[in-house]
């Protein structure tokens, strides 16, 4: 989720730019304060804090590369495909590099296909891509404080597979 939301604000459509690498780690404003990113600047970034302290501080890797590497390792660990990580991302230096709003850039969990098309077509995704991207919800769970939904997406939330999502996540708390 951290890696996707870091890149997910990118747009080539009505909104330009986005994806200022790892800007979400600045929780004072911008992407670090977006409702769609709730929990990421504290929980997810917090889980990587010790690794970042050791390797980012030494200049061996950027935060943005670490987040991408962590996502790729997690996918493979959960039984998904091996995804080679390409390094070289340069980190944002402050929240001032953030996009102005999540509106039109990140999808709302309670909207339908037209909303998803409005969000993802300007990023260059077609309907097939949107379905594939939605497959990320084969892992993890919903949290009421982050999305308004509650429960695991599937009966095996730590396994990357094609199981159909459970209704519990589709219902607002």
């Amino acid at each position: 989720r951290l890696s996707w939301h870091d890149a997910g604000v990118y747009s080539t459509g009505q909104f330009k730019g986005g994806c200022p690498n790892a800007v979400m780690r600045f929780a004072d404003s911008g992407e670090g304060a977006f409702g769609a990113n709730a929990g990421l600047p504290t929980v997810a970034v917090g889980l990587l804090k010790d690794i970042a302290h050791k390797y980012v501080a030494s200049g061996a890797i950027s935060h943005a590369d670490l987040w991408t590497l962590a996502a790729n390792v997690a996918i493979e660990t959960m039984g998904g495909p091996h995804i080679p990580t390409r390094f070289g991302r340069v980190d944002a230096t402050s929240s001032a590099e953030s996009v102005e709003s999540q509106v039109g850039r990140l999808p709302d969990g309670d909207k339908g296909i037209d909303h998803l098309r409005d969000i993802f077509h300007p990023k260059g995704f077609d309907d097939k891509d949107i379905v594939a991207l939605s497959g990320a919800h084969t892992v993890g769970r919903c949290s009421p404080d982050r999305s308004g939904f509650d429960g695991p997406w599937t009966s095996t939330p730590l396994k990357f597979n094609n199981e159909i999502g459970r209704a519990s996540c589709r219902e607002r708390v």
Side-chain angles (χ1 to χ4, degrees):
R1 182 169 170 248
L2 177 65
S3 182
W4 163 248
H5 280 244
D6 186 43
V9 296
Y10 176 76
S11 180
T12 60
Q14 176 184 357
F15 305 102
K16 297 292 182 195
C19 198
N21 295 330
V23 74
M24 195 185 325
R25 72 188 191 283
F26 303 108
D28 60 320
S29 67
E31 292 172 48
F34 289 176
N37 295 336
L40 293 174
T42 53
V43 177
V45 174
L47 290 170
L48 296 171
K49 182 179 174 182
D50 291 341
I51 298 169
H53 180 72
K54 182 173 182 179
Y55 295 102
V56 175
S58 72
I61 191 171
S62 66
H63 287 279
D65 280 344
L66 174 61
W67 294 4
T68 301
L69 175 62
N72 293 347
V73 168
I75 289 167
E76 189 171 357
T77 300
M78 292 183 289
H82 170 76
I83 304 169
T85 303
R86 295 182 184 200
F87 297 93
R89 293 164 191 82
V90 177
D91 286 335
T93 57
S94 76
S95 60
E97 295 180 56
S98 181
V99 297
E100 68 287 347
S101 170
Q102 73 182 33
V103 175
R105 293 180 181 270
L106 296 171
D108 296 321
D110 61 348
K111 303 280 191 306
I113 187 63
D114 289 337
H115 173 69
L116 292 175
R117 287 177 175 139
D118 289 344
I119 299 295
F120 291 115
H121 283 178
K123 297 178 191 304
F125 290 90
D126 62 20
D127 285 357
K128 185 176 178 180
D129 297 328
I130 294 169
V131 170
L133 180 63
S134 297
H137 294 109
T138 188
V139 297
R141 60 179 295 112
C142 308
S143 297
D145 61 327
R146 297 182 182 108
S147 66
F149 299 90
D150 189 34
W153 290 106
T154 68
S155 62
T156 56
L158 298 178
K159 184 177 179 186
F160 193 92
N161 61 31
N162 290 323
E163 183 179 337
I164 296 173
R166 293 170 25 143
S168 64
C169 277
R170 288 179 255 162
E171 297 175 14
R172 284 226 178 240
V173 184

